[in-house]
mmCIF file of all heavy atoms in Angstrom:
data_model
loop_
_atom_site.group_PDB
_atom_site.id
_atom_site.type_symbol
_atom_site.label_atom_id
_atom_site.label_comp_id
_atom_site.label_asym_id
_atom_site.label_seq_id
_atom_site.Cartn_x
_atom_site.Cartn_y
_atom_site.Cartn_z
ATOM 1 N N LEU A 398 119.487 63.997 93.041
ATOM 2 C CA LEU A 398 120.520 64.962 92.640
ATOM 3 C C LEU A 398 121.135 64.548 91.304
ATOM 4 O O LEU A 398 121.502 63.382 91.109
ATOM 5 C CB LEU A 398 121.605 65.017 93.717
ATOM 6 C CG LEU A 398 122.918 65.713 93.353
ATOM 7 C CD1 LEU A 398 122.718 67.209 93.245
ATOM 8 C CD2 LEU A 398 123.982 65.425 94.398
ATOM 9 N N PHE A 399 121.229 65.496 90.402
ATOM 10 C CA PHE A 399 121.859 65.282 89.090
ATOM 11 C C PHE A 399 122.839 66.416 88.872
ATOM 12 O O PHE A 399 122.554 67.549 89.255
ATOM 13 C CB PHE A 399 120.811 65.339 87.969
ATOM 14 C CG PHE A 399 119.693 64.336 88.105
ATOM 15 C CD1 PHE A 399 118.617 64.591 88.943
ATOM 16 C CD2 PHE A 399 119.708 63.145 87.396
ATOM 17 C CE1 PHE A 399 117.576 63.672 89.072
ATOM 18 C CE2 PHE A 399 118.676 62.223 87.511
ATOM 19 C CZ PHE A 399 117.603 62.485 88.354
ATOM 20 N N SER A 400 123.963 66.126 88.243
ATOM 21 C CA SER A 400 124.892 67.224 87.982
ATOM 22 C C SER A 400 125.755 66.929 86.765
ATOM 23 O O SER A 400 126.022 65.771 86.453
ATOM 24 C CB SER A 400 125.787 67.468 89.199
ATOM 25 O OG SER A 400 126.686 68.520 88.933
ATOM 26 N N ASN A 401 126.187 68.002 86.101
ATOM 27 C CA ASN A 401 127.119 67.808 84.990
ATOM 28 C C ASN A 401 128.564 67.904 85.478
ATOM 29 O O ASN A 401 129.485 67.934 84.692
ATOM 30 C CB ASN A 401 126.833 68.786 83.836
ATOM 31 C CG ASN A 401 126.969 70.255 84.242
ATOM 32 O OD1 ASN A 401 127.456 70.576 85.322
ATOM 33 N ND2 ASN A 401 126.515 71.141 83.360
ATOM 34 N N GLN A 402 128.750 67.959 86.800
ATOM 35 C CA GLN A 402 130.108 67.961 87.354
ATOM 36 C C GLN A 402 130.134 67.229 88.693
ATOM 37 O O GLN A 402 129.445 67.624 89.643
ATOM 38 C CB GLN A 402 130.602 69.394 87.533
ATOM 39 C CG GLN A 402 132.103 69.478 87.523
ATOM 40 C CD GLN A 402 132.613 70.443 88.558
ATOM 41 O OE1 GLN A 402 132.055 70.573 89.640
ATOM 42 N NE2 GLN A 402 133.689 71.118 88.231
ATOM 43 N N ASP A 403 130.935 66.176 88.786
ATOM 44 C CA ASP A 403 130.892 65.328 89.985
ATOM 45 C C ASP A 403 131.363 66.033 91.253
ATOM 46 O O ASP A 403 130.906 65.718 92.348
ATOM 47 C CB ASP A 403 131.709 64.046 89.769
ATOM 48 C CG ASP A 403 130.877 62.989 89.050
ATOM 49 O OD1 ASP A 403 129.626 63.092 89.121
ATOM 50 O OD2 ASP A 403 131.449 62.086 88.422
ATOM 51 N N GLU A 404 132.299 66.996 91.088
ATOM 52 C CA GLU A 404 132.784 67.719 92.274
ATOM 53 C C GLU A 404 131.639 68.506 92.925
ATOM 54 O O GLU A 404 131.475 68.511 94.148
ATOM 55 C CB GLU A 404 133.906 68.660 91.835
ATOM 56 C CG GLU A 404 134.717 69.219 92.971
ATOM 57 C CD GLU A 404 135.688 70.277 92.463
ATOM 58 O OE1 GLU A 404 136.277 70.086 91.375
ATOM 59 O OE2 GLU A 404 135.826 71.299 93.146
ATOM 60 N N LEU A 405 130.846 69.145 92.081
ATOM 61 C CA LEU A 405 129.686 69.889 92.589
ATOM 62 C C LEU A 405 128.695 68.923 93.240
ATOM 63 O O LEU A 405 128.148 69.196 94.320
ATOM 64 C CB LEU A 405 129.017 70.660 91.447
ATOM 65 C CG LEU A 405 127.676 71.319 91.766
ATOM 66 C CD1 LEU A 405 127.821 72.364 92.863
ATOM 67 C CD2 LEU A 405 127.078 71.970 90.509
ATOM 68 N N ALA A 406 128.461 67.780 92.586
ATOM 69 C CA ALA A 406 127.543 66.790 93.144
ATOM 70 C C ALA A 406 127.996 66.390 94.540
ATOM 71 O O ALA A 406 127.201 66.334 95.476
ATOM 72 C CB ALA A 406 127.468 65.568 92.236
ATOM 73 N N LYS A 407 129.294 66.176 94.683
ATOM 74 C CA LYS A 407 129.816 65.733 95.979
ATOM 75 C C LYS A 407 129.615 66.807 97.048
ATOM 76 O O LYS A 407 129.219 66.508 98.182
ATOM 77 C CB LYS A 407 131.300 65.369 95.853
ATOM 78 C CG LYS A 407 131.834 64.799 97.136
ATOM 79 C CD LYS A 407 133.187 64.156 97.036
ATOM 80 C CE LYS A 407 133.595 63.536 98.368
ATOM 81 N NZ LYS A 407 133.433 64.441 99.533
ATOM 82 N N GLU A 408 129.876 68.057 96.672
ATOM 83 C CA GLU A 408 129.700 69.153 97.637
ATOM 84 C C GLU A 408 128.249 69.230 98.117
ATOM 85 O O GLU A 408 127.979 69.445 99.299
ATOM 86 C CB GLU A 408 130.126 70.485 97.017
ATOM 87 C CG GLU A 408 131.647 70.631 96.944
ATOM 88 C CD GLU A 408 132.107 71.751 96.010
ATOM 89 O OE1 GLU A 408 131.263 72.552 95.532
ATOM 90 O OE2 GLU A 408 133.319 71.812 95.750
ATOM 91 N N LEU A 409 127.329 69.037 97.192
ATOM 92 C CA LEU A 409 125.912 69.105 97.566
ATOM 93 C C LEU A 409 125.504 67.895 98.412
ATOM 94 O O LEU A 409 124.760 68.031 99.385
ATOM 95 C CB LEU A 409 125.042 69.217 96.310
ATOM 96 C CG LEU A 409 125.170 70.554 95.567
ATOM 97 C CD1 LEU A 409 124.546 70.474 94.183
ATOM 98 C CD2 LEU A 409 124.522 71.689 96.372
ATOM 99 N N LEU A 410 126.011 66.726 98.037
ATOM 100 C CA LEU A 410 125.709 65.519 98.828
ATOM 101 C C LEU A 410 126.227 65.693 100.261
ATOM 102 O O LEU A 410 125.537 65.361 101.230
ATOM 103 C CB LEU A 410 126.352 64.278 98.197
ATOM 104 C CG LEU A 410 125.746 63.801 96.880
ATOM 105 C CD1 LEU A 410 126.634 62.734 96.233
ATOM 106 C CD2 LEU A 410 124.333 63.259 97.072
#
Side-chain angles (χ1 to χ4, degrees):
L398 166 71
F399 302 82
S400 179
N401 61 10
Q402 204 221 35
D403 276 338
E404 194 187 320
L405 171 62
K407 185 168 184 311
E408 284 165 9
L409 291 167
L410 290 169

